[in-house]
Amino acid sequence: MPSDLATSSARRAIPCRVTHRVPHALIGLVAWVSPASFATPLPSPAPLTQPATLSPADVLDRVAKAFHAGPTAQHVSIKVSSSTGRERTSRVEVLTDPGGNDRPKRVVLKLGRVLHVEAAGSQFRAVSPRNDQAAYAADLPAEFDPAAIESRLPPLPIPHVAWVFGPTWIGEENRPGEFLLPPLGWVRAESVDLEDARRECVVRGHTLAGPVRVVVDARTWTLRSVRGMLPETDLTLELTCRDADPAGAGWAVNVADRQMVASIADLRPLPAELQPGAPVTALGLMNPDLSPFSTIDAMKSQGAEPTEAGEGPLLGVLVLYREGVPGAEDAAFLAVGSMRSLKKNLDRRRLTSDRSTPRLFIQPVAVFDVAGFSPAAARGAASKWDAAQEKAVWTSAGQALMDRFERGTPALAVVVDSEMTLLGVAGIEIGVNAAEATLAEVRAIIEEHSAPR
């Protein structure tokens, strides 16, 4: 991702009512919404019989029935790209439950580390993972009204809520052969194909803005992907969906023991303890053999190697991740890999053309809670990094250490200078494409502190 697209962890969202048109704040939303860990996929029902004979209307009808059959949860990756090649990627977790059998109608939306909201029955609740002191709650109309929910949220470019709780979205009387696909609008369905290898149905159609491609799982009838042009723009929207477990832990939004605020906008992240320019101390880092680890000494040792020749500043990137948090370790591996690629590019430039190019030190750190730590656990974490030809260290400082840099995050990249002065922090979102955003932020921090003064 180009460096001019690097996003800051301090970015704020501008709330805007959700409609089926493209809100002006949509691109801003995509810049700050982020993903969470992938849950265990749902079990698949029996394969279709003669799926090749299905029409677009048949496929859409089965999708509608699947969404209305019970709770459905998905992780949605959102990518918006312009005709000039610029891209923004974000992630949303969404759970919908049409209700029944004494279950209230329910929607849960998790916008990464920025905002988690839950509407169940007549109650609406919201919290920010980066602010453990505040919460927002409100009453909803007695009749579960998606418009009342959407009016409280930033614009969300996903169709799930409208498909489950909105009016009829397939073939209204004045729109035969069409279906509503927020935020792309009404789509005229034209054909359906079956991809046997992946057991997916592909529905193709058109809006006024251009062609649309919708892929659904031919076994579960849940959404797999969407691609199409956003109306009245040169922007292409791509959604990639993975099923999650709606019965899994973590969906409920708990507002107990928090101070109520007047609006969602008041759920501001609490400031981190350490800001750029502060000394980074008391990390409690240890080697797998339980001996103390000094980041400064390790950086100096690397800086003395012949391959580190040059005049550029020696900078360190500590990739911290919560051991035991689903997806955090995988995200850290991806982030370290992207940092290694960055280091190779910087080394090549420094050794061939610009001797003032920075030198980069990269250190993965497994962060344990005291209760979850044992010498065997530390050795086990280190062995995984050994297999990737990386040397990991550990600390038992837990989430409290992470919160010193950025509250509520399970993984992050801390950039320091050779004296352990904090230069900046890049969040690491959990997901297969998260390393791209982290790389962009780290590159921006390095460029800012390497520019001539």
Side-chain angles (χ1 to χ4, degrees):
M1 186 178 291
S3 60
D4 61 344
L5 293 183
T7 57
S8 167
S9 60
R11 189 182 300 277
R12 300 290 184 266
I14 303 175
C16 176
R17 180 181 177 86
V18 177
T19 69
H20 299 318
R21 297 187 178 89
V22 181
H24 295 296
L26 176 59
I27 306 308
L29 168 79
V30 173
W32 60 262
V33 172
S34 60
S37 60
F38 292 133
T40 303
L42 295 174
S44 299
L48 280 174
T49 57
Q50 297 181 327
T53 63
L54 293 174
S55 68
D58 293 329
V59 174
L60 296 172
D61 181 63
R62 296 192 183 205
V63 171
K65 289 179 179 177
F67 271 103
H68 285 89
T72 301
Q74 291 197 313
H75 299 285
V76 185
S77 173
I78 304 167
K79 183 168 76 172
V80 174
S81 55
S82 71
S83 58
T84 60
R86 293 189 175 186
E87 295 182 354
R88 298 283 190 181
T89 301
S90 62
R91 288 158 192 85
V92 174
E93 294 175 86
V94 54
L95 179 149
T96 58
D97 186 348
N101 296 326
D102 298 325
R103 298 191 324 273
K105 295 180 179 180
R106 182 180 180 216
V107 172
V108 179
L109 294 161
K110 299 176 70 174
L111 314 183
R113 291 176 290 116
V114 179
L115 187 66
H116 293 180
V117 302
E118 178 181 18
S122 61
Q123 295 295 312
F124 181 90
R125 297 177 289 272
V127 299
S128 169
R130 296 169 61 190
N131 185 335
D132 59 3
Q133 299 177 11
Y136 172 77
D139 292 331
L140 293 173
E143 179 65 27
F144 197 85
D145 181 6
I149 300 170
E150 293 172 344
S151 66
R152 291 171 164 82
L153 299 176
L156 297 176
I158 59 176
H160 299 64
V161 176
W163 281 5
V164 178
F165 301 106
T168 302
W169 58 275
I170 302 173
E172 288 186 342
E173 291 183 3
N174 59 339
R175 292 184 178 274
E178 299 184 22
F179 65 99
L180 181 63
L181 180 59
L184 302 183
W186 285 94
V187 180
R188 175 165 292 280
E190 297 172 340
S191 66
V192 60
D193 299 313
L194 176 69
E195 295 186 356
D196 289 308
R198 289 183 289 187
R199 299 296 290 161
E200 294 176 341
C201 282
V202 182
V203 178
R204 292 181 172 85
H206 269 81
T207 65
L208 294 177
V212 172
R213 184 176 186 268
V214 179
V215 180
V216 299
D217 190 304
R219 296 160 296 181
T220 62
W221 300 107
T222 51
L223 193 61
R224 284 289 165 264
S225 66
V226 171
R227 178 182 172 88
M229 295 291 294
L230 290 166
E232 302 177 2
T233 73
D234 68 343
L235 303 175
T236 299
L237 173 72
E238 295 180 67
L239 306 180
T240 303
C241 307
R242 290 184 59 180
D243 290 337
D245 182 4
W251 286 109
V253 173
N254 186 2
V255 299
D257 302 322
R258 294 174 180 246
Q259 181 178 356
M260 292 297 164
V261 295
S263 70
I264 286 182
D266 293 326
L267 296 174
R268 300 180 180 90
L270 294 175
E273 173 190 336
L274 297 178
Q275 298 295 323
V280 177
T281 60
L283 299 181
L285 302 185
M286 306 288 285
N287 289 301
D289 63 2
L290 309 187
S291 62
F293 175 84
S294 169
T295 305
I296 290 180
D297 290 348
M299 290 177 69
K300 288 181 178 178
S301 178
Q302 176 182 297
E305 297 175 1
T307 54
E308 300 294 321
E311 302 169 358
L314 181 58
L315 306 178
V317 181
L318 305 180
V319 178
L320 283 70
Y321 68 96
R322 286 288 309 282
E323 181 65 35
V325 173
E329 183 180 63
D330 290 340
F333 270 102
L334 293 173
V336 167
S338 68
M339 295 303 106
R340 288 296 176 193
S341 297
L342 174 61
K343 175 174 171 53
K344 287 181 180 179
N345 292 334
L346 293 175
D347 289 347
R348 187 180 301 112
R349 189 201 315 172
R350 189 182 65 257
L351 297 173
T352 59
S353 60
D354 184 358
R355 290 179 58 83
S356 65
T357 300
R359 297 168 290 164
L360 205 58
F361 170 83
I362 302 159
Q363 181 60 61
V365 179
V367 180
F368 290 87
D369 288 321
V370 172
F373 171 75
S374 69
R379 290 192 296 269
S383 67
K384 298 176 186 178
W385 289 97
D386 288 341
Q389 299 183 327
E390 294 283 349
K391 178 186 176 182
V393 298
W394 61 270
T395 176
S396 59
Q399 186 63 43
L401 173 61
M402 312 290 287
D403 289 345
R404 292 174 62 193
F405 299 102
E406 185 171 324
R407 293 176 182 269
T409 181
L412 50 81
V414 177
V415 185
V416 297
D417 66 12
S418 59
E419 300 299 323
M420 293 297 288
T421 300
L422 181 62
L423 303 182
V425 176
I428 303 175
E429 302 294 353
I430 295 176
V432 294
N433 299 316
E436 298 177 9
T438 304
L439 177 60
E441 289 194 55
V442 169
R443 185 189 290 119
I445 294 168
I446 292 173
E447 290 176 353
E448 177 183 355
H449 292 277
S450 304
R453 301 294 180 181

